[in-house]
Amino acid sequence: MFDHRRREKARARLAASAILIAALPLAAAAQDAPAQTEDELASRAGDIVVTAQKREQRLQDVGLSVTAFGNEALENAGVNAITDLAKIVPGLDVTPSPSSTPVYTLRGVGFFESTLSAAPDVALYLDQVPLAIPAFGALTAFDVERIEVLKGPQGTLFGTNATGGAINLIAAKPTNDMQAGVELGYGRFNMVRVGAYASGPITDTLNGRIAVKLSRGDEWQYSYTRDDKLGKTDEVAGRMILDWQPSDAVNVLFNVNGWLNRSDPQAPQLARQTTPADLQAPVGSVTFGQVVPPDFPLLLIPAAPANNRAANWSPDNRPYRDDRFYQTSLTANIDVSDTITLTSLTGYSDLRQRKASSYSGTDLAAFDQAANPAKANDFSQELRLASAESSAQLRWMIGGNYQRTFSYERIDAIYPFASTGFRDGFTANTLDTRQVFEQWAAFGNLEFDLTDRLTLKAGIRYTDSSRTTAGRVYDTPGYVEPIPGSLGLTQFFNVLIPLAYVPLFCPTVTFTPVTPGDSVSLDPDTCVSGTYNAKLKEDNVPWSLGADFKPNDDLLFYANMSRGFKGGAFPLVNAASQAQFYPVPQEKLTAYEVGFKSSFDGSRIVFNGAAFYYDYANKQTRGKTVDPLFGALEQLVSIPKSRIYGAEFDLAAEPARGLTLRLAGTYLNTRIKRFDGIVGTQNVGGLLFPVFASFEGADLPFAPKFAASASIDYAFPVSGSVDAFLGAGVRSQTKSYGSPQLGGQDKLDATIKGYTTLDLRAGLTSPGAGWKLMVWGKNVTDTHYWTNSLRAFDTIVRYTGRPAEYGVTFSYDF
């Protein structure tokens, strides 16, 4: 173990040193570099134009914490999906969940919940149109002009409430002249990526753009107990945009985009060998099944080796995916007068999902999602009026929006090798949920230039929302129990509930047997089984106040105070009791932030920083409840009070022609201030009761104390028409935790160790001829790291990062 840790530390030092070593000769060469051209100056980090406040502004003029990357920077960093943004945005954590739904956490604010319909703490948008469900954004980050990451509560400017922030993808738009390009790439695991676009005028008033991207690759994971592989890539995405401008006062943008994803879901690693203490049904226990033996098969499987590729999954329920998504949106901007613009944003999204996943990290069916079909659609409409003059002393915006999201999700859970399945005599069940979310909102925002240097800002929003649910747990259709004499789920409840539960908790009730196919989940107040139906109605008032002060054109100080909300949620869980379906209420976050943005030497150096404090109420997370008969079970819980404070910086420098340096870092300090959580169970008279403990002082999940990224790129001429370039990128973070824990083995199991990864790139380009050839490597030190660590019922599993990858990419613009 000592040698292994020493090797990992050495890799981290090597990766961090690579940037510094590479920078020394390049920085020295920069001293005598010639002046840059006007076109090169326009591409500097400080001059990037963003729409973070729903109008075009230079990034350095926006008094908010915003990180933005243009298309070239995204390509150099190897950002092929939204989930890759964590490599270049310190403070952003992207975590895979057991159902393969990504969870975004920004500055320690995130909602780890894998239910498809769960609204995220970090909202996603494509050209300001919401991607209401995280799964919608899986393959949308292609052919983009830039990506903006807004940090802190959102709601007064964007269409969806969010406590953590927003990620806005800005698609590349149609051009006034004919343009086209192709990109071909080949990498490890026979990964082939093909992209193409064409853009230009169709008529005098109509321009169009079409873009496609295709990725195919072989399996990257292997089973360490048998000859089997997993992890193929099979993706295709496309987008068409029509830009119609019938007059100077009217512009209409129509966007239709979609994707197909048949890639294998990632299988988790078994983090450590399972012990008898890990089993949810103790050795020797029995109800209507068989006695859990000391040599229970799960206890005999060794932990996965320290290799990102090593994993395991059940061959009987092999993971697969077959998902498809499309979105259409219509954006209209109409100048109703010389000073007022009307904007309409209409969007519709539709997802269909078919997949299976393996949870346990073993080759046994200890907990498999043998089938996980789902569907979801979302309709949104926003109307707003805004002042059209960016130079006016008073700039204002008022508007409203409506959103409706429908989702249905079903899981066929199969677990013949789970300890409880062995003990209880039922080894499968199906659970599903049907949810509808609906909201209305009105909002407004003001900016007033009190002086030439001082701007005051204010925003407010009122939101009225409702979420309905219908949740069930029932027999898996067509499933045959493999254990001789097993009762199966429905019969188990029909025997146990009238025998033990009803006499204790509802002695005056005559139990009605559950009909096969109906829900077995028991109402704890009436002892009647059935479908859980409920409606959660909420309203809230997010707001923001701030001031920007510019002592000169190259320096901006800002101070902001804001409050954000995220709506309540119903889970999809294996519910013996309907209490597990109960919702958590909306969470509230009040943020205080001060920051600065500065430019030096004609924007050759840009240095931005911020400090913030978050007062966080009712944080939503997955937790535990204890059923008196079944023991510890999952449900959503709220952490009443927690706080976050921290600081961040972003430094970008272009000290010489062709030389670009970037360094960014985030410090986070997160603490739970008030929360009594379940840490165990106790047996009293044959019934199980929860053991509570205070979690005061525990860290919030997915919030490393330090996270940083650094990159260096250097381009230099090798002939009159060809330039060469070299580049490297480092991403590093300290340890974090997959769930709030107090200590002991539970905290060790939840630990996500700190890690550092190194990416390299080099190549040739001819800007005049329009071609570029790049060789690249990702995680070139093959660092073994993971992004999530959690309990998967009887086992402890972790989700690793990708192994070392390398390849070549060629692009050509016609």
Side-chain angles (χ1 to χ4, degrees):
M1 181 178 293
F2 173 78
D3 289 341
H4 171 67
R5 289 179 177 173
R6 187 166 56 188
R7 284 195 302 270
E8 290 299 319
K9 289 180 179 179
R11 283 177 176 174
R13 288 194 297 267
L14 172 64
S17 299
I19 289 290
L20 298 177
I21 294 172
L24 290 176
L26 299 178
Q31 296 178 4
D32 300 320
Q36 291 177 294
T37 67
E38 190 172 316
D39 289 341
E40 290 168 330
L41 293 177
S43 67
R44 288 174 181 157
D47 295 318
I48 189 170
V49 174
V50 298
T51 52
Q53 298 187 114
K54 289 195 172 177
R55 60 188 177 91
E56 291 189 350
Q57 294 173 277
R58 288 178 66 251
L59 179 61
Q60 291 303 98
D61 294 333
V62 179
L64 299 169
S65 185
V66 183
T67 301
F69 295 91
N71 182 61
E72 184 175 0
L74 295 169
E75 288 181 353
N76 288 341
V79 175
N80 295 310
I82 300 177
T83 53
D84 293 331
L85 285 174
K87 298 197 303 182
I88 54 176
V89 182
L92 175 64
D93 188 279
V94 183
T95 307
S97 67
S99 66
S100 301
T101 298
V103 176
Y104 300 93
T105 302
L106 193 53
R107 288 180 172 176
V109 181
F111 180 32
F112 185 75
E113 166 59 18
S114 58
T115 303
L116 178 69
S117 61
D121 279 359
V122 180
L124 303 179
Y125 298 87
L126 177 61
D127 288 337
Q128 302 182 29
V129 177
L131 297 165
I133 292 174
F136 286 178
L139 301 178
T140 55
F142 72 99
D143 195 43
V144 295
E145 178 184 315
R146 66 183 183 278
I147 296 178
E148 303 169 1
V149 181
L150 287 71
K151 302 175 183 179
Q154 306 295 321
T156 61
L157 284 168
F158 281 85
T160 300
N161 280 337
T163 45
I167 299 174
N168 193 14
L169 287 76
I170 292 85
K173 300 301 187 294
T175 52
N176 293 323
D177 57 332
M178 287 300 303
Q179 297 180 13
V182 296
E183 180 177 281
L184 305 173
Y186 180 79
R188 191 182 182 192
F189 309 115
N190 290 319
M191 176 66 73
V192 176
R193 297 189 189 276
V194 179
Y197 77 91
S199 177
I202 301 174
T203 70
D204 291 342
T205 60
L206 180 66
N207 294 340
R209 185 182 185 98
I210 188 169
V212 295
K213 184 176 182 179
L214 180 146
S215 300
R216 297 283 191 275
D218 294 342
E219 297 86 352
W220 66 274
Q221 290 188 295
Y222 70 86
S223 168
Y224 63 94
T225 62
R226 66 185 192 280
D227 185 15
D228 200 2
K229 291 183 179 181
L230 186 75
K232 73 173 183 181
T233 300
D234 186 353
E235 304 167 349
V236 61
R239 180 183 299 125
M240 182 186 72
I241 298 178
L242 298 176
D243 186 352
W244 181 49
Q245 188 154 0
S247 71
D248 292 340
V250 177
N251 177 255
V252 179
L253 203 69
F254 175 69
N255 183 329
V256 56
N257 63 90
W259 48 259
L260 300 172
N261 188 359
R262 296 186 176 92
S263 302
D264 291 338
Q266 182 178 352
Q269 286 189 336
L270 184 64
R272 60 172 175 81
Q273 190 158 358
T274 306
T275 69
D278 294 321
L279 299 181
Q280 302 299 291
V283 170
S285 62
V286 62
T287 52
F288 302 121
Q290 299 187 24
V291 177
V292 180
D295 60 347
F296 192 64
L298 277 182
L299 302 175
L300 309 179
I301 298 176
N307 185 314
N308 287 341
R309 297 186 61 197
N312 238 327
W313 55 94
S314 169
D316 295 331
N317 300 301
R318 184 179 178 84
Y320 70 90
R321 177 191 282 118
D322 187 359
D323 301 345
R324 70 114 176 108
F325 169 80
Y326 73 86
Q327 181 194 59
T328 60
S329 67
L330 187 69
T331 301
N333 290 291
I334 303 171
D335 293 335
V336 296
S337 74
D338 291 340
T339 58
I340 298 176
T341 299
L342 170 67
T343 299
S344 171
L345 292 167
T346 307
Y348 179 79
S349 302
D350 189 277
L351 173 72
R352 292 293 184 272
Q353 174 181 287
R354 293 178 60 249
K355 64 181 179 181
S357 304
S358 184
Y359 279 17
S360 70
T362 74
D363 54 4
L364 300 175
F367 197 85
D368 289 348
Q369 285 189 356
N372 180 201
K375 57 184 178 180
N377 59 63
D378 174 79
F379 170 79
S380 64
Q381 173 63 57
E382 178 175 311
L383 287 172
R384 64 177 188 257
L385 288 170
S387 55
E389 294 180 307
S390 60
S391 60
Q393 184 179 17
L394 175 64
R395 297 171 296 279
W396 55 269
M397 179 179 66
I398 58 172
N401 59 43
Y402 169 77
Q403 185 173 4
R404 185 184 187 276
T405 307
F406 164 83
S407 68
Y408 171 79
E409 184 175 12
R410 191 191 89 212
I411 295 175
D412 293 345
I414 310 296
Y415 40 91
F417 287 95
S419 60
T420 54
F422 201 78
R423 177 196 66 186
D424 297 334
F426 67 90
T427 62
N429 67 271
T430 293
L431 53 156
D432 67 20
T433 183
R434 187 182 301 270
Q435 298 192 23
V436 176
F437 171 74
E438 192 170 24
Q439 75 164 8
W440 297 85
F443 56 87
N445 201 73
L446 293 174
E447 295 180 39
F448 180 70
D449 294 335
L450 192 63
T451 71
D452 290 343
R453 298 295 183 184
L454 179 62
T455 300
L456 304 181
K457 305 173 294 185
I460 194 166
R461 171 191 176 109
Y462 174 75
T463 302
D464 182 274
S465 67
S466 67
R467 185 179 291 271
T468 60
T469 187
R472 303 185 299 163
V473 177
Y474 52 97
D475 283 312
T476 300
Y479 183 79
V480 178
E481 290 288 348
I483 301 175
S486 294
L487 294 178
L489 175 72
T490 298
Q491 189 61 17
F492 175 87
F493 271 75
N494 284 338
V495 172
L496 181 68
I497 299 305
L499 182 68
Y501 201 97
V502 171
L504 290 170
F505 301 101
C506 307
T508 62
V509 171
T510 299
F511 177 72
T512 301
V514 182
T515 302
D518 290 344
S519 179
V520 302
S521 300
L522 200 70
D523 186 324
D525 297 323
T526 64
C527 292
V528 175
S529 295
T531 299
Y532 173 74
N533 291 283
K535 185 173 186 177
L536 178 66
K537 286 187 64 65
E538 296 174 317
D539 63 355
N540 54 66
V541 183
W543 50 263
S544 63
L545 295 170
D548 296 346
F549 176 61
K550 293 198 71 171
N552 58 60
D553 292 342
D554 295 324
L555 183 61
L556 167 68
F557 295 101
Y558 64 88
N560 297 318
M561 181 169 62
S562 60
R563 175 167 292 170
F565 294 84
K566 190 191 80 69
F570 291 100
L572 175 60
V573 289
N574 254 325
S577 166
Q578 290 184 9
Q580 293 175 253
F581 285 130
Y582 290 172
V584 286
Q586 62 187 356
E587 61 181 34
K588 178 180 70 176
L589 189 145
T590 306
Y592 308 86
E593 180 171 338
V594 294
F596 68 89
K597 296 187 174 183
S598 61
S599 303
F600 305 94
D601 193 18
S603 294
R604 285 187 173 87
I605 300 174
V606 173
F607 183 46
N608 301 333
F612 50 89
Y613 180 89
Y614 290 170
D615 185 358
Y616 202 178
N618 295 327
K619 174 181 171 54
Q620 303 166 356
T621 188
R622 279 263 177 165
K624 296 178 181 178
T625 184
V626 172
D627 183 90
L629 299 180
F630 294 99
L633 299 171
E634 282 191 322
Q635 71 171 18
L636 289 180
V637 300
S638 286
I639 298 175
K641 292 287 288 183
S642 53
R643 63 99 179 122
I644 302 170
Y645 66 79
E648 63 189 21
F649 74 92
D650 191 326
L651 172 65
E654 302 178 24
R657 181 191 297 272
L659 176 61
T660 304
L661 308 173
R662 186 156 191 168
L663 179 64
T666 297
Y667 165 75
L668 286 176
N669 189 299
T670 69
R671 289 291 183 273
I672 291 174
K673 297 177 69 175
R674 187 174 79 247
F675 175 53
D676 292 330
I678 295 172
V679 294
T681 60
Q682 58 179 341
N683 192 311
V684 179
L687 298 178
L688 299 173
F689 293 90
V691 176
F692 289 94
S694 172
F695 277 70
E696 182 179 356
D699 294 311
L700 293 177
F702 309 114
K705 183 165 287 187
F706 295 100
S709 65
S711 66
I712 180 171
D713 287 281
Y714 183 54
F716 53 93
V718 294
S719 74
S721 60
V722 176
D723 294 340
F725 60 90
L726 304 169
V730 169
R731 204 277 190 198
S732 184
Q733 72 171 53
T734 56
K735 69 179 178 182
S736 60
Y737 302 97
S739 57
Q741 299 294 341
L742 292 177
Q745 188 62 48
D746 286 342
K747 192 167 186 177
L748 289 174
D749 290 339
T751 298
I752 302 169
K753 71 171 185 175
Y755 63 88
T756 300
T757 58
L758 172 65
D759 296 349
L760 298 173
R761 51 191 171 269
L764 298 172
T765 181
S766 178
W771 60 266
K772 180 179 179 180
L773 177 67
M774 179 170 67
V775 294
W776 49 265
K778 300 180 182 180
N779 188 16
V780 296
T781 58
D782 203 22
T783 298
H784 177 230
Y785 70 101
W786 53 93
T787 56
N788 196 4
S789 185
L790 72 159
R791 172 173 289 280
F793 206 64
D794 284 327
T795 61
I796 305 300
V797 300
R798 58 195 179 204
Y799 288 82
T800 68
R802 298 275 295 197
E805 296 179 89
Y806 36 81
V808 59
T809 300
F810 175 78
S811 62
Y812 182 74
D813 290 324
F814 297 94

